[in-house]
Every structure is written in C-alpha cells, then in structure tokens.
Amino acid sequence: MAEPPAGDRMGVEPPEGMKHVCVYLGGHVGYRKRYVDEAEDLGRLMAADGVGLVYGGARVGLMGVLANAVLSNGGFATGVVPRQLAYQELAHEGLSRLYVVDTMHQRKYRMQSLCHGCLALPGGFGTIEEIFEALTWAQKPLLLHEKPCVFVNVDGYYDHLFRFLDHAAAEGLLLESNRALARQAPTATAALRDIQSAWDAEEEALQQMLREYRQ
Ligand code: AMP
C-alpha cells in the first residue's frame, strides 16, 4: 500500500522485523466481563509473542484495556488517533508510539499500512466499520491487501452479523470467496493463532517460490 499522508508521530520505532496486528474494538467496555478478559488475554499474548499492537489510540473502553495489557506486559503498542479525539484528551498518553492524524480516513489508512493482519474484538459502529473496510479492501476484485481479518466472536457476540453475511452470500450479493475472508475465532488466543498460522503459510509459500526459482 502507498504511504498515507504524514501525521505527527511521537514515541519510538518498533524493534526491527516486528509484525503488527491492527485491533479494532469498542470505545466502551460493555456489560460482560469476558469482553474485558479477552482484551486483556490478547494484550498479554501479543506482548509474549512479540507481536506489536496497532489500534485507535484511545485510553478508554476495551481499547484502553488492550493497550494497557500490551504495555504492562512489556509489549509494543502503536496508536493512531485523529486530532479531534486527541484534543478531547481521549488519547492514551503512555503508548510506545502515537500518530496524530488529521482525519478519520487518514487514521484508518495509516492503521492498515502499519499492520500485517486485523482483528475485531466486540465493539460498535466504529469497530464494525473499520473491520469491514479492511475486508472490503481485501475482496475481489479490489485485492488491495491479503492480510488475514479475524473476528473474535466472544460469547457469540458476532453471531447475528455472521448470519447476515451468510444471507448476503445466499442472495448473491457477496461472493462466497469474499464471504470467506471474514474469519472468526471463539477467543482472542485462537484468533491470534489463526493470524500467526496465516503468516507461517505465507512465509512457507514464499520459501517454496524461492526454492523453485533457484532450481
Ligand atoms: P466503537 O466500536 O464504535 O466503540 O468504536 C471503536 C473503534 O472506533 C475503535 O477501533 C477506534 O478505532 C475508533 N474509536 C472509537 N472511539 C474512539 C476514541 N474515543 N478514541 C479513539 N478511537 C476511537
């Protein structure tokens, strides 16, 4: 993807070669403790596996829970926040790296350009819009990226949404192959493992291509 418009950048650069997952998730914590538990599990696991977090940069809601879990376990967290939200003092002030951009569109573009895969934990309009934009960019015939996109379907939170996607495919308005891009996993751990296996498969395909090229 092309380099997005420059924003203000604060903090430090991630370790060389670090892979990043962009996580979309609620600006609220919701009513179920498991939403918070899953955000915490994900943050811990990302830090332990050396996977960097890219997210919306807020200190509130599940977003804040996740960023704090990454940071308190020694991980690397990048926030991308629109100036308007930074002015409202919703930006997390302790992130490893923070981009402040001018518009919501620049923000989504920057988040995508920094990551190697996307996850959606439970969330509302913002979360759903962001993961669907990532899916839209990945679908045929656009094919703007091939990053795995996984919904963390905590306690069936996204069941209705998946039923709707099946309906859209059955009605011929969503190609089955594009429907399959919207992956799901029951827990944050399983979702991160799914992304990591996609990275491994991609690496293996690359190595295979190189072996064939050298023969
Ligand atoms: P929602 O699911 O509607 O709560 O929105 C969450 C998503 O929208 C996140 O992935 C963020 O990228 C963005 N977002 C919503 N609220 C904020 C906020 N206060 N600060 C930064 N980003 C936010």
Side-chain angles (χ1 to χ4, degrees):
M1 286 171 70
E3 183 65 6
D8 297 339
R9 185 173 57 75
M10 286 153 260
V12 297
E13 283 303 297
E16 180 85 21
M18 178 178 245
K19 288 216 172 201
H20 287 81
V21 170
C22 181
V23 185
Y24 307 118
L25 72 174
H28 300 272
V29 289
Y31 298 138
R32 240 177 241 255
K33 186 173 169 296
R34 269 211 63 206
Y35 301 150
V36 171
D37 292 345
E38 288 293 324
E40 283 177 341
D41 279 359
L42 179 61
R44 255 193 310 272
L45 192 61
M46 289 177 80
D49 284 9
V51 174
L53 167 70
V54 173
Y55 85 115
R59 60 178 174 73
V60 294
L62 292 177
M63 303 169 78
V65 171
L66 172 63
N68 289 336
V70 168
L71 295 167
S72 63
N73 287 284
F76 192 95
T78 302
V80 186
V81 74
R83 213 168 289 284
Q84 184 198 349
L85 291 178
Y87 284 147
Q88 289 171 29
E89 296 177 346
L90 290 168
H92 194 302
E93 290 183 348
L95 297 175
S96 322
R97 179 172 62 167
L98 178 70
Y99 288 91
V100 181
V101 295
D102 291 324
T103 68
M104 290 293 277
H105 288 100
Q106 285 176 9
R107 171 223 225 158
K108 283 187 291 176
Y109 199 74
R110 167 73 66 184
M111 287 164 85
Q112 263 304 308
S113 72
L114 290 171
C115 78
H116 306 88
C118 310
L119 280 183
L121 257 76
F125 279 158
T127 302
I128 293 164
E129 189 261 345
E130 288 168 332
I131 188 85
F132 272 101
E133 182 165 285
L135 286 164
T136 305
W137 289 359
Q139 75 173 345
K140 288 191 204 89
L142 280 174
L143 297 171
L144 292 176
H145 70 81
E146 291 182 63
K147 299 166 192 173
C149 295
V150 187
F151 288 78
V152 187
N153 196 11
V154 184
D155 284 351
Y157 180 76
Y158 284 117
D159 281 354
H160 296 86
L161 190 69
F162 277 102
R163 273 203 286 280
F164 171 74
L165 295 184
D166 290 337
H167 170 67
E171 290 296 307
L173 291 162
L174 173 62
L175 290 180
E176 285 292 351
S177 56
N178 288 333
R179 161 71 184 84
L181 294 172
R183 298 146 79 131
Q184 63 168 311
T187 61
T189 305
L192 187 63
R193 293 291 175 243
D194 186 21
I195 286 189
Q196 289 168 319
S197 346
W199 290 344
D200 290 346
E202 193 183 305
E203 179 59 29
E204 179 46 36
L206 181 69
Q207 293 305 326
Q208 179 62 25
M209 229 168 62
L210 288 174
R211 279 193 293 273
E212 284 166 14
Y213 179 73
R214 287 194 197 109
Q215 275 169 11

